[in-house]
Amino acid sequence: MSDFKLLRFLNQETGPVVSMVSVPYPGFWSRKLWHSRAILRPDIKIGRGSLVFDSCGSGWSASKQESQCRALTEAVERWALAYYRKFPEKAALDVDGTSTGFAALPSDFNKKDLYENAYCEAVERWILNAVWDAGGIGLLPAGLNNQVLQGLFKRFPGRLHGFTTRMPVPAPSPIGSPMVFFSLCLFETAEGGVVPGSACGLDESKVMDRAMAEAYMHALALSMLKKKVRCEPEDILEKRILYFGGRPTGFSEVKERLASAPARKKPEIPKVIFFKELEGPWNPEINIVRVVLEGSVPFLCGGEDRFVI
């Protein structure tokens, strides 16, 4: 790992993170990307009844060490969510009890980046809710230009589709930027199912790359879930992946919902009602911030037929 001070969080007996797994893509000798997973202690529960979604942090990078640092940092972010469930009002978990709006970065990163990440995470979930629940945000078709990420999907027969929009940030901007970008990547399976990946940020090209990487992980999860024919998932995200990814009408249903919104309709991003640095046992090595928008809808609410993953 490039940042040795983070290693105190990785300990099989005492750390919140008990193990790290790193996999090269597309293969060891032809590796162009690394994906790392930092596995949390079994008692740090984020979801419930997961068959393929471990309680972990995840990180992609061309550098193995950087992917590990990203995974470890995200795992600590997940730990913070579990930690603050003991006093939810201090992290606005009484308003929205999910991971929406959480962001973490090592303390040597600029805090401006941390605040941007937390705000964009909250906006991403707000857009997903708005697109699916109200059809209220128009998304435009977008190109998928990262050939390395596209290559990951070759193991799964199907097609990739990209969508994007740019959203003006209400003044005065809480992050100093007047605009954020949102990308949605859909992987349409050969059978007509679909799994998504989404991201929000200030760099349009990087946002789509992150959405593609997430869509790949969901395609991988779908493949694994289909093999567990005797097991019914309890985790709502796994239920949604199976519902939309395993049905021949999944993609057509999502495409119809996206087409129902006027292409250039952009409702205003709600105002921020909670913006706070969260203190805890991760300090001083890692800083964590949470942002909550007015009217925040927990993304886990609703049934399996809600395409918010």
Side-chain angles (χ1 to χ4, degrees):
M1 288 184 149
S2 61
D3 199 336
F4 290 101
K5 66 185 179 182
L6 298 183
L7 287 176
R8 81 168 178 93
F9 300 110
L10 176 58
N11 187 295
Q12 193 168 5
E13 296 182 357
T14 62
V17 176
V18 295
S19 64
M20 179 78 70
V21 180
S22 298
V23 179
Y25 287 89
F28 183 79
W29 298 113
S30 57
R31 60 189 181 276
K32 294 183 174 67
L33 285 174
W34 285 89
H35 179 255
S36 293
R37 291 163 57 243
I39 312 300
L40 287 162
R41 286 196 323 258
D43 62 300
I44 302 176
K45 299 295 184 183
I46 306 302
R48 67 169 193 167
S50 296
L51 296 177
V52 299
F53 285 155
D54 296 320
S55 291
C56 69
S58 175
W60 288 92
S61 177
S63 160
K64 180 180 180 181
Q65 290 183 331
E66 186 171 287
S67 76
Q68 291 178 335
C69 286
R70 289 179 176 177
L72 186 57
T73 302
E74 186 176 83
V76 172
E77 177 192 314
R78 302 286 188 262
W79 177 35
L81 169 62
Y83 179 88
Y84 269 91
R85 281 176 174 165
K86 295 178 289 187
F87 20 83
E89 68 285 347
K90 293 185 178 180
L93 291 173
D94 53 334
V95 178
D96 183 336
T98 69
S99 61
T100 295
F102 276 80
L105 281 176
S107 56
D108 51 358
F109 277 72
N110 191 319
K111 282 193 176 181
K112 183 177 183 295
D113 296 332
L114 177 65
Y115 299 157
E116 290 171 357
N117 290 352
Y119 180 77
C120 288
E121 167 68 18
V123 171
E124 177 189 346
R125 293 272 172 80
W126 171 75
I127 291 175
L128 287 173
N129 287 331
V131 168
W132 188 253
D133 296 337
I137 296 179
L139 303 180
L140 298 173
L144 302 169
N145 301 317
N146 191 313
Q147 299 298 316
V148 174
L149 288 171
Q150 287 190 56
L152 298 182
F153 290 87
K154 289 182 179 179
R155 63 186 295 186
F156 305 118
R159 295 177 57 198
L160 285 168
H161 306 266
F163 301 89
T164 189
T165 190
R166 57 181 66 193
M167 300 290 298
V169 178
S173 171
I175 56 172
S177 173
M179 190 80 63
V180 296
F181 297 94
F182 170 83
S183 291
L184 177 68
C185 177
L186 299 180
F187 178 68
E188 177 190 2
T189 71
E191 298 79 23
V194 64
V195 292
S198 61
C200 180
L202 304 187
D203 186 318
E204 190 170 12
S205 63
K206 290 181 179 179
V207 168
M208 182 57 81
D209 287 353
R210 285 165 42 213
M212 291 174 68
E214 184 176 88
Y216 172 76
M217 296 308 295
H218 289 160
L220 185 62
L222 175 63
S223 175
M224 296 169 65
L225 287 167
K226 284 182 174 180
K227 295 175 182 177
K228 297 180 180 291
V229 292
R230 298 184 180 180
C231 302
E232 180 69 27
E234 296 180 38
D235 181 87
I236 187 60
L237 297 184
E238 292 182 350
K239 284 178 176 287
R240 290 173 182 173
I241 284 176
L242 270 178
Y243 181 85
F244 287 98
R247 295 164 61 245
T249 58
F251 178 73
S252 61
E253 290 175 14
V254 172
K255 185 178 179 180
E256 182 179 347
R257 181 64 64 97
L258 294 179
S260 68
R264 300 191 180 278
K265 183 177 180 181
K266 291 188 177 70
E268 187 172 281
I269 297 173
K271 68 178 183 181
V272 172
I273 60 170
F274 184 89
F275 200 134
K276 182 181 177 182
E277 291 190 36
L278 303 179
E279 297 181 354
W282 42 86
N283 298 124
E285 294 88 349
I286 291 179
N287 293 322
I288 296 179
V289 165
R290 203 216 177 167
V291 171
V292 178
L293 303 180
E294 187 176 45
S296 180
V297 176
F299 77 105
L300 298 178
C301 74
E304 63 184 19
D305 59 345
R306 190 166 180 260
F307 196 63
V308 181
I309 301 172

